[in-house]
Amino acid sequence: MSKHELRGIFTPNLVPLDNRGQINEAELRRYVDWLIDRGVHGLYPNGSTGEFTRFQPEERRRIIKIVCEQVGGRVPVLAGAAEANVAETIRACEVYHEYGARAVAIVSPFYYRLSPESVYTYFHEIAQHSPIDVTLYNIPMFASPIDVPTLRRLAEHPRIVGIKDSSGDVAFMGRMINAVRPVRPDFRFLTGWEAVLVPMLIMGADGGTNATSGIVPELTRNLYELTQARRIDEAVKLQLRLIELFDTMLYSADFPEGFRAAVDLRGFDFGRGRQPLSEAQQVDRAALQRVLHCIIADFGVMDGPCEGCAVRTGNLEHDKIEQVTRAVLAEIQERGIRVN
Amino acid sequence: MSKHELRGIFTPNLVPLDNRGQINEAELRRYVDWLIDRGVHGLYPNGSTGEFTRFQPEERRRIIKIVCEQVGGRVPVLAGAAEANVAETIRACEVYHEYGARAVAIVSPFYYRLSPESVYTYFHEIAQHSPIDVTLYNIPMFASPIDVPTLRRLAEHPRIVGIKDSSGDVAFMGRMINAVRPVRPDFRFLTGWEAVLVPMLIMGADGGTNATSGIVPELTRNLYELTQARRIDEAVKLQLRLIELFDTMLYSADFPEGFRAAVDLRGFDFGRGRQPLSEAQQVDRAALQRVLHCIIADFGVMDGPCEGCAVRTGNLEHDKIEQVTRAVLAEIQERGIRVN
Amino acid sequence: MSKHELRGIFTPNLVPLDNRGQINEAELRRYVDWLIDRGVHGLYPNGSTGEFTRFQPEERRRIIKIVCEQVGGRVPVLAGAAEANVAETIRACEVYHEYGARAVAIVSPFYYRLSPESVYTYFHEIAQHSPIDVTLYNIPMFASPIDVPTLRRLAEHPRIVGIKDSSGDVAFMGRMINAVRPVRPDFRFLTGWEAVLVPMLIMGADGGTNATSGIVPELTRNLYELTQARRIDEAVKLQLRLIELFDTMLYSADFPEGFRAAVDLRGFDFGRGRQPLSEAQQVDRAALQRVLHCIIADFGVMDGPCEGCAVRTGNLEHDKIEQVTRAVLAEIQERGIRVN
Amino acid sequence: MSKHELRGIFTPNLVPLDNRGQINEAELRRYVDWLIDRGVHGLYPNGSTGEFTRFQPEERRRIIKIVCEQVGGRVPVLAGAAEANVAETIRACEVYHEYGARAVAIVSPFYYRLSPESVYTYFHEIAQHSPIDVTLYNIPMFASPIDVPTLRRLAEHPRIVGIKDSSGDVAFMGRMINAVRPVRPDFRFLTGWEAVLVPMLIMGADGGTNATSGIVPELTRNLYELTQARRIDEAVKLQLRLIELFDTMLYSADFPEGFRAAVDLRGFDFGRGRQPLSEAQQVDRAALQRVLHCIIADFGVMDGPCEGCAVRTGNLEHDKIEQVTRAVLAEIQERGIRVN
């Protein structure tokens, strides 16, 4: 695949922080290399997974700069460029173009819920002035929805080259493809919902920007290739297992804390996030990590915990208790305490 | 496929009414034969498509009786059996068992939105007393949702043999399969959302109960078989086209009036529905029929309208206007009026 | 107030069941007398509180018959008349007219979510043929919403005389009044959301149909009269306390089980409801009754539990535990067991 | 009322922009004086109405600086202080404290929908470090909801002195008051939903932060005083009329463009907003201004349009057409063209 293609799996990368809560540049560079080595097709900094709203404007620029530099053209970079308003967003497009990003991704206006006409006008205005290709970013649970008629209108603009959709609605993917492909066969469709990555790809999506690929890039790459090769039954088998991992990271903590908890298991130190955790949440996070360790180890990409893994039931509360109990028992045993 | 298997495409059949608004038995029997001849794997009377809530209890029984008689064992009948309360529902199960239905489908309690514990208790109580296999019916847009933990608990009851899910959420299908298949490999999963029939089947669903199969049974059968044969690219091509038909029937009128408008095009007289239409709605319905005629004819299962079809754009309002204009012009021409 | 006026507090009465799950006629008659004696302005059988969907059509008729007979013209009866379709609903209107009901209340079509045009057509068709005054019933959490433009259109029909709104949205009440009063000064507005009964009355509503009035009719009557007399500060003080009772009955069990649990405390035997309760739910119900007993006793309308009441904190989980603990201790003490 | 009291009507002021899209300082200062002269009890810059998300961090500071300076202690300033993360928000609190703001208002975390525990932790962390009193800002349609148990926990922190709630739910206001007043009698409750300003005040709210007060400060002040004086019937009469104005500004354009369109009618030049308008939207805005002109003039706070006002029906689409037609006819007449 060409290094300029917006196809395949793009990682919406998390941002490591140091113990002062600032961007940990060294760790970010190491993470970029690790991801590329494990086969991701591209990087997508300043996405929702990358907590773009929790950084200051200058920090967002620094993240793109570091990532573009470190990537060094090995894979395309899709740079999240949404800023406070149209003028600032266009300025970010200009800067990211200079940094060498392949394209920008711009989330639909958020906080206020805008009408389709306003969503259209917003993106159209940006596209008119952007020196770099623009992909739309639809995430209706967080931002103003981009509906199919609005997408079709926007797809008429040559600067707009694709859409990243995080609705998770496979029928909606079909509707977008039906509406746009006949008039723009080159338009790219990426899904942000890896729980249905295989179905989306089969329906015609070109790839995904999937937080899970930042944790187990080997597996999302594998999923993509199996599907492309139409080894459907193998792909679905893996897809079904990946749902468990995805759900555990997504629903066991406020997004994206579950993913932050997971990435550390792969040998990184991402530090504490910018949304503070209560003591109860920190305990939950540690318990969650034990379960995640077992789930990820099961895929064969890393070793499991020393104390072994309890049988998983899919009932997360139950699984956490079992797993933590096992860890405590291992600890006790190690210390030579006899338990009756 | 065995005539007892809850697999493949089941038609949630519409009910034809005569000009007094009563069940048109002759037309219903003719419709049942037509569907079986065109290859549906089973019938599902008294579903949402069959407007079960708009009939009186004795009418619902009559519908099942007619359908079971007419089917005569050629295909399995899945009988919608939800009544006002648990006792009445169990009574309906008994009656439908005598009529020879293969299983009943029971929608989750509606009107009141019940908690998972209440949903569980409701279905468990019915399963305890039903002489016939029970399939759960999950349709969260209309009824209390059945969540995955509740499904898992219910799947422990041997009388409960499957679920029909109309959420349209492919990831949810994956979650249900993950939770239930390991403990109940025989449990059946049917989707009610044909906009994603292929993705659902690929994910592991056993079939569907799809209103569209009551209109174009040839196509949904084909879709099913192509998918089973893993001729994925052909299947998806057809799937994408079917979305247009499905959306047009679903979103152009209050459900299921768009499907009622469509079935008449296949040579039936289903009469006026029980939900009255205003004059404006009747005009809209006629215009909708013209568009549907063109869409269905495009699939090659019937002839198109005499006056030909305008090019479709996917913008339904626009397409309707074009198509109606064309019909008016044809009418004018036929009457020998000259238009400048 | 005239016995024909649709003003004041109407009780959407619960239906007592005997130990076979059938309508307990004697208890229902006793309950009707009790409510009238305690000052409710009218009765509203077959409402959501009365679980109309859980009865068979003939049972719904019997309920209205019993209530109309027992009321004997002392207060107006607003009879819930929604049946499976327009024809059956009109038939119910005819029957309830003969029974002597003052008006019928018809819930907007449910299960299917209908468009405003369909909601209009539905009610208009009924109004055209009903021999008895019709009040609309808007409960958007359970049924198709009635929006303001649709209400305005329907208010042009002389047979439609009011609306009962359970949205709980005070601004919406204002909008309805703004839209309808200028053209129909006699149109009646009733609220089904007693958490804001005082604000609704102040905004211009004529009364309410409030489940809480079936439990503490003395208090809702008092609330109504204080507000009418513009003794606002006293009214609000009582309103704020009533929210606690309302919330506890509404949110501690699936509606209307919390109200069923409460009515028994007033000296009735309403039996087990038709929606079965799991064992866990039965335990919860008993605990809920203890808390409700304390809340209701605090209003001075009945004695508190023998063992006294724990201090309430508004944290229901916590209050339940405290109250149940107290009851257990009282039980232990009574039995002469010493606790260290 | 003391100049330090968080009571009465606070104006969440819009921000005027010059023709380069930058903050129009002179107009902002003139607007602040105009508002104070017309009786608002306080100002609330950087609220949702003030489009805080569409400004850069340094612009938000400049807005507060200008407003605090211009107010000069005449009324209290409630400064919107939400920034990208906890650390930045605390820094803003420090700066606004120096500027002389009375308190800050901090919207619940947005974009991501956080759990109650995270909402608590977020606000608690800020309160721990803020040198200035904090009011919480609950606006569930745009940001993570603050529920009653979370509010109760947060009200234990002395630095947190109030909540501004834009849910518009009067029962929720009652619940908050029930939960907090007994333990924190000094805690302040402000409503952001002026469609129910009178009911909210009656229920016990201390005031409001209402966008409408930026357009007709005379009226919201009047509404407040009538309610405080318990001249309820006069207050409600005015409240009902105010709903029409509020709804027209709120629902006829994407928020807050309808308010921007209205403020210019009061003699200001607020320029074009930062969210671009399509040509169709600009035409709609002009038509909306005609209707707003008539509604506002009806209150007697300004003259109506030269060409007079068409009768309003409450059907906005219809009213716009009538009003614009009238304006066109007046224009034609003025130009001496004869129309038959």
Side-chain angles (χ1 to χ4, degrees), chain A residues 143-166:
Chain A
S144 307
I146 303 174
D147 61 19
V148 173
T150 302
L151 173 64
R152 180 155 42 187
R153 286 176 74 193
L154 287 168
E156 285 168 20
H157 199 293
R159 192 44 105 194
I160 299 176
V161 301
I163 185 164
K164 182 244 166 131
D165 173 66
S166 291

PDB file of all heavy atoms in Angstrom, chain A residues 143-166:
ATOM      1  N   ALA A 143     -20.445  14.910  18.842  1.00  0.00           N
ATOM      2  CA  ALA A 143     -20.445  16.130  18.029  1.00  0.00           C
ATOM      3  C   ALA A 143     -21.656  16.168  17.101  1.00  0.00           C
ATOM      4  O   ALA A 143     -22.377  15.173  16.960  1.00  0.00           O
ATOM      5  CB  ALA A 143     -19.151  16.181  17.216  1.00  0.00           C
ATOM      6  N   SER A 144     -21.887  17.314  16.472  1.00  0.00           N
ATOM      7  CA  SER A 144     -23.018  17.462  15.553  1.00  0.00           C
ATOM      8  C   SER A 144     -22.936  16.391  14.466  1.00  0.00           C
ATOM      9  O   SER A 144     -21.896  16.232  13.833  1.00  0.00           O
ATOM     10  CB  SER A 144     -22.980  18.836  14.882  1.00  0.00           C
ATOM     11  OG  SER A 144     -22.886  19.855  15.852  1.00  0.00           O
ATOM     12  N   PRO A 145     -24.017  15.660  14.231  1.00  0.00           N
ATOM     13  CA  PRO A 145     -23.955  14.581  13.245  1.00  0.00           C
ATOM     14  C   PRO A 145     -23.817  15.103  11.813  1.00  0.00           C
ATOM     15  O   PRO A 145     -24.319  16.165  11.481  1.00  0.00           O
ATOM     16  CB  PRO A 145     -25.293  13.861  13.426  1.00  0.00           C
ATOM     17  CG  PRO A 145     -26.202  14.821  14.105  1.00  0.00           C
ATOM     18  CD  PRO A 145     -25.332  15.763  14.891  1.00  0.00           C
ATOM     19  N   ILE A 146     -23.095  14.335  11.008  1.00  0.00           N
ATOM     20  CA  ILE A 146     -23.003  14.604   9.568  1.00  0.00           C
ATOM     21  C   ILE A 146     -23.947  13.613   8.905  1.00  0.00           C
ATOM     22  O   ILE A 146     -23.688  12.407   8.935  1.00  0.00           O
ATOM     23  CB  ILE A 146     -21.560  14.387   9.058  1.00  0.00           C
ATOM     24  CG1 ILE A 146     -20.573  15.261   9.840  1.00  0.00           C
ATOM     25  CG2 ILE A 146     -21.468  14.660   7.561  1.00  0.00           C
ATOM     26  CD1 ILE A 146     -19.096  14.996   9.497  1.00  0.00           C
ATOM     27  N   ASP A 147     -25.038  14.082   8.332  1.00  0.00           N
ATOM     28  CA  ASP A 147     -25.969  13.126   7.727  1.00  0.00           C
ATOM     29  C   ASP A 147     -25.618  12.864   6.263  1.00  0.00           C
ATOM     30  O   ASP A 147     -24.719  13.500   5.703  1.00  0.00           O
ATOM     31  CB  ASP A 147     -27.423  13.568   7.929  1.00  0.00           C
ATOM     32  CG  ASP A 147     -27.724  14.905   7.280  1.00  0.00           C
ATOM     33  OD1 ASP A 147     -26.959  15.328   6.392  1.00  0.00           O
ATOM     34  OD2 ASP A 147     -28.731  15.519   7.662  1.00  0.00           O
ATOM     35  N   VAL A 148     -26.303  11.917   5.652  1.00  0.00           N
ATOM     36  CA  VAL A 148     -25.927  11.498   4.302  1.00  0.00           C
ATOM     37  C   VAL A 148     -26.098  12.614   3.279  1.00  0.00           C
ATOM     38  O   VAL A 148     -25.191  12.850   2.472  1.00  0.00           O
ATOM     39  CB  VAL A 148     -26.682  10.203   3.897  1.00  0.00           C
ATOM     40  CG1 VAL A 148     -26.426   9.860   2.435  1.00  0.00           C
ATOM     41  CG2 VAL A 148     -26.245   9.038   4.785  1.00  0.00           C
ATOM     42  N   PRO A 149     -27.201  13.363   3.265  1.00  0.00           N
ATOM     43  CA  PRO A 149     -27.304  14.445   2.274  1.00  0.00           C
ATOM     44  C   PRO A 149     -26.197  15.488   2.435  1.00  0.00           C
ATOM     45  O   PRO A 149     -25.673  16.001   1.439  1.00  0.00           O
ATOM     46  CB  PRO A 149     -28.685  15.052   2.550  1.00  0.00           C
ATOM     47  CG  PRO A 149     -29.459  13.968   3.232  1.00  0.00           C
ATOM     48  CD  PRO A 149     -28.451  13.192   4.026  1.00  0.00           C
ATOM     49  N   THR A 150     -25.830  15.793   3.671  1.00  0.00           N
ATOM     50  CA  THR A 150     -24.760  16.760   3.905  1.00  0.00           C
ATOM     51  C   THR A 150     -23.431  16.202   3.407  1.00  0.00           C
ATOM     52  O   THR A 150     -22.645  16.914   2.771  1.00  0.00           O
ATOM     53  CB  THR A 150     -24.671  17.097   5.414  1.00  0.00           C
ATOM     54  OG1 THR A 150     -25.933  17.615   5.828  1.00  0.00           O
ATOM     55  CG2 THR A 150     -23.586  18.114   5.694  1.00  0.00           C
ATOM     56  N   LEU A 151     -23.197  14.924   3.663  1.00  0.00           N
ATOM     57  CA  LEU A 151     -21.971  14.297   3.169  1.00  0.00           C
ATOM     58  C   LEU A 151     -21.906  14.378   1.648  1.00  0.00           C
ATOM     59  O   LEU A 151     -20.870  14.700   1.067  1.00  0.00           O
ATOM     60  CB  LEU A 151     -21.910  12.838   3.623  1.00  0.00           C
ATOM     61  CG  LEU A 151     -20.757  12.038   3.026  1.00  0.00           C
ATOM     62  CD1 LEU A 151     -19.412  12.591   3.481  1.00  0.00           C
ATOM     63  CD2 LEU A 151     -20.868  10.568   3.383  1.00  0.00           C
ATOM     64  N   ARG A 152     -23.041  14.078   1.011  1.00  0.00           N
ATOM     65  CA  ARG A 152     -23.035  14.103  -0.456  1.00  0.00           C
ATOM     66  C   ARG A 152     -22.683  15.491  -0.978  1.00  0.00           C
ATOM     67  O   ARG A 152     -21.925  15.628  -1.934  1.00  0.00           O
ATOM     68  CB  ARG A 152     -24.390  13.652  -0.990  1.00  0.00           C
ATOM     69  CG  ARG A 152     -24.441  13.657  -2.510  1.00  0.00           C
ATOM     70  CD  ARG A 152     -25.467  12.709  -3.073  1.00  0.00           C
ATOM     71  NE  ARG A 152     -26.687  12.785  -2.277  1.00  0.00           N
ATOM     72  CZ  ARG A 152     -27.733  11.987  -2.422  1.00  0.00           C
ATOM     73  NH1 ARG A 152     -27.696  11.042  -3.339  1.00  0.00           N
ATOM     74  NH2 ARG A 152     -28.796  12.114  -1.677  1.00  0.00           N
ATOM     75  N   ARG A 153     -23.254  16.525  -0.339  1.00  0.00           N
ATOM     76  CA  ARG A 153     -22.941  17.889  -0.778  1.00  0.00           C
ATOM     77  C   ARG A 153     -21.457  18.182  -0.578  1.00  0.00           C
ATOM     78  O   ARG A 153     -20.811  18.781  -1.442  1.00  0.00           O
ATOM     79  CB  ARG A 153     -23.743  18.907   0.040  1.00  0.00           C
ATOM     80  CG  ARG A 153     -25.211  18.974  -0.310  1.00  0.00           C
ATOM     81  CD  ARG A 153     -25.952  19.946   0.626  1.00  0.00           C
ATOM     82  NE  ARG A 153     -25.648  21.338   0.321  1.00  0.00           N
ATOM     83  CZ  ARG A 153     -25.961  22.366   1.123  1.00  0.00           C
ATOM     84  NH1 ARG A 153     -26.568  22.136   2.282  1.00  0.00           N
ATOM     85  NH2 ARG A 153     -25.662  23.595   0.783  1.00  0.00           N
ATOM     86  N   LEU A 154     -20.933  17.762   0.564  1.00  0.00           N
ATOM     87  CA  LEU A 154     -19.532  18.059   0.869  1.00  0.00           C
ATOM     88  C   LEU A 154     -18.587  17.291  -0.054  1.00  0.00           C
ATOM     89  O   LEU A 154     -17.498  17.776  -0.383  1.00  0.00           O
ATOM     90  CB  LEU A 154     -19.235  17.744   2.339  1.00  0.00           C
ATOM     91  CG  LEU A 154     -19.837  18.746   3.326  1.00  0.00           C
ATOM     92  CD1 LEU A 154     -19.754  18.220   4.754  1.00  0.00           C
ATOM     93  CD2 LEU A 154     -19.133  20.114   3.218  1.00  0.00           C
ATOM     94  N   ALA A 155     -19.017  16.096  -0.467  1.00  0.00           N
ATOM     95  CA  ALA A 155     -18.152  15.267  -1.323  1.00  0.00           C
ATOM     96  C   ALA A 155     -17.959  15.890  -2.698  1.00  0.00           C
ATOM     97  O   ALA A 155     -17.104  15.452  -3.476  1.00  0.00           O
ATOM     98  CB  ALA A 155     -18.723  13.852  -1.441  1.00  0.00           C
ATOM     99  N   GLU A 156     -18.724  16.927  -2.992  1.00  0.00           N
ATOM    100  CA  GLU A 156     -18.532  17.615  -4.280  1.00  0.00           C
ATOM    101  C   GLU A 156     -17.292  18.486  -4.253  1.00  0.00           C
ATOM    102  O   GLU A 156     -16.820  18.926  -5.303  1.00  0.00           O
ATOM    103  CB  GLU A 156     -19.763  18.474  -4.600  1.00  0.00           C
ATOM    104  CG  GLU A 156     -20.939  17.632  -5.064  1.00  0.00           C
ATOM    105  CD  GLU A 156     -22.236  18.425  -5.096  1.00  0.00           C
ATOM    106  OE1 GLU A 156     -22.171  19.662  -5.129  1.00  0.00           O
ATOM    107  OE2 GLU A 156     -23.307  17.773  -5.071  1.00  0.00           O
ATOM    108  N   HIS A 157     -16.775  18.743  -3.063  1.00  0.00           N
ATOM    109  CA  HIS A 157     -15.600  19.605  -2.967  1.00  0.00           C
ATOM    110  C   HIS A 157     -14.347  18.739  -3.092  1.00  0.00           C
ATOM    111  O   HIS A 157     -14.141  17.816  -2.314  1.00  0.00           O
ATOM    112  CB  HIS A 157     -15.602  20.333  -1.616  1.00  0.00           C
ATOM    113  CG  HIS A 157     -14.730  21.534  -1.624  1.00  0.00           C
ATOM    114  ND1 HIS A 157     -13.361  21.468  -1.728  1.00  0.00           N
ATOM    115  CD2 HIS A 157     -15.024  22.858  -1.610  1.00  0.00           C
ATOM    116  CE1 HIS A 157     -12.854  22.679  -1.734  1.00  0.00           C
ATOM    117  NE2 HIS A 157     -13.846  23.556  -1.673  1.00  0.00           N
ATOM    118  N   PRO A 158     -13.488  19.052  -4.060  1.00  0.00           N
ATOM    119  CA  PRO A 158     -12.328  18.167  -4.320  1.00  0.00           C
ATOM    120  C   PRO A 158     -11.354  18.085  -3.148  1.00  0.00           C
ATOM    121  O   PRO A 158     -10.620  17.108  -3.016  1.00  0.00           O
ATOM    122  CB  PRO A 158     -11.655  18.805  -5.542  1.00  0.00           C
ATOM    123  CG  PRO A 158     -12.170  20.216  -5.590  1.00  0.00           C
ATOM    124  CD  PRO A 158     -13.547  20.183  -5.001  1.00  0.00           C
ATOM    125  N   ARG A 159     -11.353  19.109  -2.276  1.00  0.00           N
ATOM    126  CA  ARG A 159     -10.423  19.109  -1.155  1.00  0.00           C
ATOM    127  C   ARG A 159     -10.857  18.128  -0.058  1.00  0.00           C
ATOM    128  O   ARG A 159     -10.043  17.709   0.769  1.00  0.00           O
ATOM    129  CB  ARG A 159     -10.367  20.544  -0.599  1.00  0.00           C
ATOM    130  CG  ARG A 159      -9.290  20.819   0.370  1.00  0.00           C
ATOM    131  CD  ARG A 159      -7.967  20.259  -0.026  1.00  0.00           C
ATOM    132  NE  ARG A 159      -6.995  21.208  -0.511  1.00  0.00           N
ATOM    133  CZ  ARG A 159      -5.887  20.833  -1.147  1.00  0.00           C
ATOM    134  NH1 ARG A 159      -5.640  19.547  -1.398  1.00  0.00           N
ATOM    135  NH2 ARG A 159      -5.028  21.717  -1.569  1.00  0.00           N
ATOM    136  N   ILE A 160     -12.111  17.785  -0.090  1.00  0.00           N
ATOM    137  CA  ILE A 160     -12.627  16.836   0.904  1.00  0.00           C
ATOM    138  C   ILE A 160     -12.513  15.442   0.304  1.00  0.00           C
ATOM    139  O   ILE A 160     -13.104  15.158  -0.737  1.00  0.00           O
ATOM    140  CB  ILE A 160     -14.080  17.182   1.295  1.00  0.00           C
ATOM    141  CG1 ILE A 160     -14.107  18.592   1.905  1.00  0.00           C
ATOM    142  CG2 ILE A 160     -14.657  16.140   2.243  1.00  0.00           C
ATOM    143  CD1 ILE A 160     -15.494  19.111   2.248  1.00  0.00           C
ATOM    144  N   VAL A 161     -11.724  14.591   0.957  1.00  0.00           N
ATOM    145  CA  VAL A 161     -11.345  13.331   0.322  1.00  0.00           C
ATOM    146  C   VAL A 161     -11.839  12.081   1.044  1.00  0.00           C
ATOM    147  O   VAL A 161     -11.622  10.963   0.569  1.00  0.00           O
ATOM    148  CB  VAL A 161      -9.812  13.233   0.176  1.00  0.00           C
ATOM    149  CG1 VAL A 161      -9.282  14.398  -0.671  1.00  0.00           C
ATOM    150  CG2 VAL A 161      -9.131  13.196   1.537  1.00  0.00           C
ATOM    151  N   GLY A 162     -12.481  12.282   2.197  1.00  0.00           N
ATOM    152  CA  GLY A 162     -12.935  11.088   2.901  1.00  0.00           C
ATOM    153  C   GLY A 162     -13.700  11.425   4.155  1.00  0.00           C
ATOM    154  O   GLY A 162     -13.858  12.600   4.513  1.00  0.00           O
ATOM    155  N   ILE A 163     -14.181  10.387   4.804  1.00  0.00           N
ATOM    156  CA  ILE A 163     -14.883  10.571   6.066  1.00  0.00           C
ATOM    157  C   ILE A 163     -14.476   9.467   7.023  1.00  0.00           C
ATOM    158  O   ILE A 163     -14.296   8.308   6.632  1.00  0.00           O
ATOM    159  CB  ILE A 163     -16.419  10.588   5.894  1.00  0.00           C
ATOM    160  CG1 ILE A 163     -17.111  10.917   7.231  1.00  0.00           C
ATOM    161  CG2 ILE A 163     -16.936   9.276   5.321  1.00  0.00           C
ATOM    162  CD1 ILE A 163     -18.572  11.336   7.072  1.00  0.00           C
ATOM    163  N   LYS A 164     -14.282   9.855   8.261  1.00  0.00           N
ATOM    164  CA  LYS A 164     -14.042   8.897   9.315  1.00  0.00           C
ATOM    165  C   LYS A 164     -15.313   8.890  10.143  1.00  0.00           C
ATOM    166  O   LYS A 164     -15.743   9.936  10.643  1.00  0.00           O
ATOM    167  CB  LYS A 164     -12.864   9.359  10.182  1.00  0.00           C
ATOM    168  CG  LYS A 164     -12.521   8.371  11.278  1.00  0.00           C
ATOM    169  CD  LYS A 164     -12.733   8.958  12.635  1.00  0.00           C
ATOM    170  CE  LYS A 164     -12.725   7.873  13.688  1.00  0.00           C
ATOM    171  NZ  LYS A 164     -11.870   8.150  14.815  1.00  0.00           N
ATOM    172  N   ASP A 165     -15.943   7.746  10.233  1.00  0.00           N
ATOM    173  CA  ASP A 165     -17.233   7.648  10.910  1.00  0.00           C
ATOM    174  C   ASP A 165     -17.132   6.765  12.143  1.00  0.00           C
ATOM    175  O   ASP A 165     -16.713   5.613  12.055  1.00  0.00           O
ATOM    176  CB  ASP A 165     -18.275   7.075   9.949  1.00  0.00           C
ATOM    177  CG  ASP A 165     -19.581   6.796  10.664  1.00  0.00           C
ATOM    178  OD1 ASP A 165     -20.213   7.766  11.098  1.00  0.00           O
ATOM    179  OD2 ASP A 165     -19.944   5.613  10.810  1.00  0.00           O
ATOM    180  N   SER A 166     -17.542   7.323  13.277  1.00  0.00           N
ATOM    181  CA  SER A 166     -17.496   6.555  14.522  1.00  0.00           C
ATOM    182  C   SER A 166     -18.878   6.224  15.058  1.00  0.00           C
ATOM    183  O   SER A 166     -19.050   5.993  16.248  1.00  0.00           O
ATOM    184  CB  SER A 166     -16.704   7.330  15.583  1.00  0.00           C
ATOM    185  OG  SER A 166     -15.346   7.388  15.230  1.00  0.00           O
TER     186      SER A 166
END
